[in-house]
Structure formats: C-alpha cells, structure tokens
Amino acid sequence: MPQIPSRFIPLLIILVGALFYFPFLGRVHLFDWDEINFAESAREMMVTGNYTRVQINFQPFWEKPPLFFWLQVLAMKAFGIGEFAARFPNAVVGIATLLVLYSIGKKLVDERFGLLWALAYFGSLTPHLYFKTGIIDPTFNLFIFLSVWFMARTVSAYGTSKAIGQAVLSGLFVGLAVLTKGPVGGLLLGLTFLIYWALQRFRPILSFWNGLTFFACALAVASVWFGLELIKNGWWFFEEFIRYQIRLFSTPDAGHQQPFYYHFVVVLLGCFPMSLLAIRGFFSSSTEGQAEATVFFRRWMVILFWVVMILFSIVKTKIVHYSSMAWFPVSYLAATVLYSYLKGQLSWNRWLTVGIAVIGGVLGLLIAVLPLVGMNAAELIPHIKDRFAAANLTAPVEWAGWEWIIGTAYGLAIAAILWFRRTQPIRTVVGLFLATPLLLWFVLPTIAPKIERYTQGAVIDFYEAKQGQDVYIEPIGYKSYAHLFYFRKQPPTNPNSYREDWLMNGPVDKPTFFVTRNINIDQYRYNPNLEIIREEAGFVFLRRKPVFK
C-alpha cells in the first residue's frame, strides 16, 4: 500500500468516506418498503411528539425498537424531513465503520492490514451501497460487530484485570444493537459465543463476574427504551413485539419467501469483489505466519459468518440485508488474503481472475444495458408477460443517450485491473476496490433516478401533489408505506379511516383517493362508489366523492 503518515490515515478515511457516502443521498426518493417505513416512523415521532413509542400510520409498530429512528429524527431536525435526512445516519455510520475496521486491523496486525480491511469493505458492492440507504442494518451491524470484537477480547483476556473493561464494552454495544433491531442482536452474539465455547470443549473462557458485568451493561442499555416502555404501558406491547419476531422467523413475509441457499448467492454476488477473495480466506493457509491474535480473531469471524448465514437461511422471510452482518467476517477474510498476497505469501489464483472477470463483466454489462432498455422500452413491452412491469416501462423517462458508457467503462476498468495484476499488485488491489465505488458514484445520480421513475415515480408524484389537502389516501390490493411519508399524513381524527371497507363503501366525510396496481384493478373496477381518475405506469388512481349525512 502507498506509504501514508499514520496520523493522516484517519483523516483520509473520513474525507474519502464523506466524498463517496454523502453526495446524492437525496437524489432518489425513498424506496418501498423498508426505507419509507423507517423514515415514516421517524416523521411520526416528530409529528406526535412521542419519541418513545414507535409508530407507523400512527399506530404501534411492533417490528423495531427506536434507536435508529431517533438518529433519523435528529437528522430530520437538522436537514428537514426528506430523503437526505433519512439516509444521513447511515452515511455517518459508514465512515465510522471504516475507521473501526482500520483501527481494529491495525491493532490485530498492522496499518497495512487495517487499510486493506477498510478498503475491502468500502470497495464492495452492497456494503458500499447500503451506507447510502435509510435502512437499519448498517447501524445494527456495526454495533453487533463491535460487541463480538470486545467479547473476543474479553475471552482473550480471561483471568486478567483487562477482561472486565472489555466485557463492559461488549455489553454496551450488544445493548445498542438490541435497541436498534431487537432481540436478534443478542441472539447473534450469543450463538457465536456458544459455538466458540463448544469448540473450546466448554473450558472456562469467561469468568462469572465478567459474564455478569456483560449482562448488566447490556440490560442497562436496552432498558433505556424497553424498561421505559414496560413501566409506561405494561407487558402487552412486549407480547406483540415477541409475537412478531416469532412470526418473522417461522413464516414468510409477503413476497419474501426464497430458497434455502438464497443468502449464499446474495453474499457472493452482492459483496463483489471481496466475496471472491474471502473464499480463499476460509482456508487456514491464508493466516500462516500471522500473529496469534489474528488467528484467534479469525475463529470468531468464521463462526460469526456461519451463524449469520445458517440462521437467516432457516428464517422463512428472506431479504437481501438480513444476512448483511456476514459482510464483516467476509471483509475480514478478504483482507487476510489481500495482506498475504501483497506480502508474496499467496499467489493470485486463476479462478480468482475468472470470478472477478465474470461477475465484474456481468455487472458492467447490466449497468450498460439498463439505459439501452429504457431507451428502447416501447419495443420491449410486447414481450413482457408481467402486465405491471410492462406498464412500468411506459413511464415518461428521458435518457441522455450516453449513460451506457458508465457500465462499459466499469467493465473495461475491471479488464485493465486484471491485465496488470502480475506486474502491479498494489495498484491492482487499490484499483479493484475503487472501481465499484466509482461505478456507484456515477450510477446513483444518473441511472438510479430514472429506474426509480419507472418503478414508483407516478405514485410518488400523486402523493406529493396531495400534500396539505384534507383528504384520505389509501393503497389497495398491495402493501405500501409511500402514501404515509410522501402525502405527509397527519394523525387521523376519524378512527373509521383505518378501515378499507369504510373508506370504500361507508359514509366518508371528505374526499377519498385510492391507488392500486393494474394487476389488481379488476377487483375494484366495478365498485359503484369508486371512479378511476387515470392510469399511469402500471398504477391506477381512483377516488370517492364525499358522502355527507
């Protein structure tokens, strides 16, 4: 790696992170479901002034604790309610994550390893992209990783006075994880610890007092909200919260049932290119000659990887970011391979070249083809069997005509990087992990807004046009949170407005609008109370005139 004075490295990481994570955060509307869901919960906290109860549609929201929403609230108070503020906390967490990886890597091995670890995480597809979103997982994952790190240090310091401080920090961060996403935070650390302990044949690795200290700290932090909610509202909220967690684990959520191997494919493709390097890192030869502390921590990372992948493969509901905690051990294993490669201890295998060429080439091809598809949508529509997807492509989107160059340039860059891999190994590594962030830096402001116009532009426009009007708006036939955030819905004064049958057929007291998809319209088309206003890009907009007694 290039020689950079140590005192400047954290500043460099901050500057690079700010350059890549903050621009274009508000360039694209929030996406249904999760991004809008979470931003809406934060907005409703501000509207109601109730910052302890998580709500959606001004009703209790059982799925998540409030810590991430508090961060979004702070951002919204600083920057206003909108996309930039909703995504801002994760951009900050992204910079913090890179600093953490560099710092831990430096402590485990040296500065080069720390830089390689941070670079691997920074330069891979989904780990980089998710710091520019408004979902919970990047923040949650950092807390879990830190809790595992400090638990590993607690175990390594077993029998010494240093263990107690590490146990305190591990408990602190697992408590923050529970406040961010619920009991799964404790579950991931607990399973990782138990498997590590089992592999040590249940020999003592944690003293009673250290364990008690850990639990006390975790409970104290989690009680900042859980305890307050229990005191204020009793057990009923927790009963609903736990029921939801069990339902999520045991039954598939709508549209999110996938095969068992789903997350393995997601991590392999989504974590490109570090995922390909990490495969080599699973073999012990990648850590030969390294310090005992590195080998020790590698065990924790490998265990954490398998805990995440197996647990979320068992869970019936499967979404891309559910396995995102695995990105930390994947990046660590990739860093061990890069470190050994640059020291000349490992060779660059042919299969690695093929894997990077294939996945990188396909990614570049897809980015190049997307604009061509958009510019020739009319010719493609007759060949698309999904009526909703076909109608999406009718959205009026203007392409400049040059956007295909972005994907093409990325593919050529990958080819050039691989061509010079033997003669310029350092530049190969740096180039490989800068190519994808640069790709996203150009894609997000140019191509992503146009894709978003196809998928949800028409319906977002409709909701924004109704802001400030005293009307009811409700999606029917499909699940969405977009109407809540982009209509800026206020607390309902009529409890009947939560009932779809009342909005459609009851004595509504103000104008009422509905949104559905063209594949669902048949079940509403002949309702005598509904009138179709227009159809646009796959969405159908209907209304009811108010009925006054």
Side-chain angles (χ1 to χ4, degrees), residues 60-109:
F61 181 56
W62 317 113
E63 300 184 18
K64 300 292 184 295
L67 180 56
F68 185 74
F69 309 132
W70 291 341
L71 298 178
Q72 288 186 309
V73 165
L74 291 175
M76 289 180 183
K77 287 183 178 293
F79 304 112
I81 295 173
E83 295 83 3
F84 183 89
R87 293 168 176 148
F88 181 81
N90 275 340
V92 175
V93 167
I95 296 174
T97 298
L98 298 182
L99 290 170
V100 164
L101 296 182
Y102 165 71
S103 177
I104 293 177
K106 180 181 177 182
K107 186 182 294 292
L108 283 172
V109 185

Side-chain angles (χ1 to χ4, degrees), residues 19 55 63 66 81 84 191 244 314 358 415 428 462 486 541:
L19 176 64
Q55 305 173 80
E63 300 184 18
I81 295 173
F84 183 89
L191 289 174
Y244 169 78
I314 294 172
V358 170
T428 294
F462 181 77
Y486 285 106
F541 303 94

Side-chain angles (χ1 to χ4, degrees), residues 180-359:
T180 304
K181 204 173 180 181
V184 68
L187 179 63
L188 291 175
L189 175 63
L191 289 174
T192 302
F193 176 84
L194 288 174
I195 293 173
Y196 181 87
W197 189 25
L199 293 175
Q200 300 303 307
R201 300 181 181 179
F202 299 105
R203 292 192 294 253
I205 60 174
L206 187 69
S207 73
F208 172 79
W209 290 111
N210 288 339
L212 184 62
T213 300
F214 164 81
F215 281 110
C217 291
L219 183 62
V221 173
S223 294
V224 168
W225 178 71
F226 283 97
L228 180 62
E229 190 66 29
L230 178 62
I231 293 170
K232 288 178 60 179
N233 300 295
W235 288 101
W236 70 274
F237 181 86
F238 290 97
E239 291 173 359
E240 294 296 332
F241 184 86
I242 296 300
R243 285 195 189 101
Y244 169 78
Q245 305 299 322
I246 294 172
R247 186 170 68 250
L248 187 67
F249 185 89
S250 59
T251 59
D253 201 356
H256 295 302
Q257 186 175 16
Q258 303 291 346
F260 181 84
Y261 57 82
Y262 172 80
H263 285 297
F264 291 92
V265 176
V266 164
V267 170
L268 175 64
L269 300 180
C271 289
F272 173 81
M274 72 179 182
S275 57
L276 296 173
L277 290 155
I279 293 173
R280 183 78 178 274
F282 277 100
F283 300 96
S284 59
S285 60
S286 64
T287 56
E288 286 182 1
Q290 294 187 15
E292 183 180 346
T294 307
V295 179
F296 171 78
F297 190 62
R298 179 185 177 278
R299 296 190 194 108
W300 285 88
M301 291 290 92
V302 172
I303 293 170
L304 178 60
F305 172 83
W306 288 111
V307 164
V308 172
M309 299 304 290
I310 293 174
L311 177 64
F312 290 106
S313 294
I314 294 172
V315 170
K316 296 297 183 181
T317 301
K318 293 180 174 64
I319 305 175
V320 171
H321 50 264
Y322 277 16
S323 59
S324 58
M325 185 61 235
W327 301 347
F328 278 89
V330 167
S331 63
Y332 171 81
L333 294 170
T336 65
V337 173
L338 291 171
Y339 186 80
S340 297
Y341 166 66
L342 292 179
K343 289 185 69 175
Q345 296 173 341
L346 285 179
S347 61
W348 187 283
N349 287 352
R350 181 176 296 179
W351 68 263
L352 184 58
T353 300
V354 172
I356 292 174
V358 170
I359 298 179

Side-chain angles (χ1 to χ4, degrees), residues 348-424:
W348 187 283
N349 287 352
R350 181 176 296 179
W351 68 263
L352 184 58
T353 300
V354 172
I356 292 174
V358 170
I359 298 179
V362 170
L363 178 59
L365 180 63
L366 288 175
I367 299 300
V369 166
L370 278 175
L372 300 178
V373 170
M375 288 183 282
N376 297 278
E379 289 77 14
L380 294 172
I381 289 174
H383 304 287
I384 299 176
K385 295 181 179 180
D386 186 321
R387 287 197 300 127
F388 181 66
N392 285 163
L393 290 178
T394 64
V397 177
E398 293 186 7
W399 294 87
W402 57 267
E403 293 89 350
W404 61 272
I405 296 175
I406 298 173
T408 303
Y410 178 77
L412 293 174
I414 293 295
I417 289 166
L418 293 175
W419 179 263
F420 292 105
R421 71 187 185 281
R422 288 194 177 94
T423 58
Q424 302 183 47

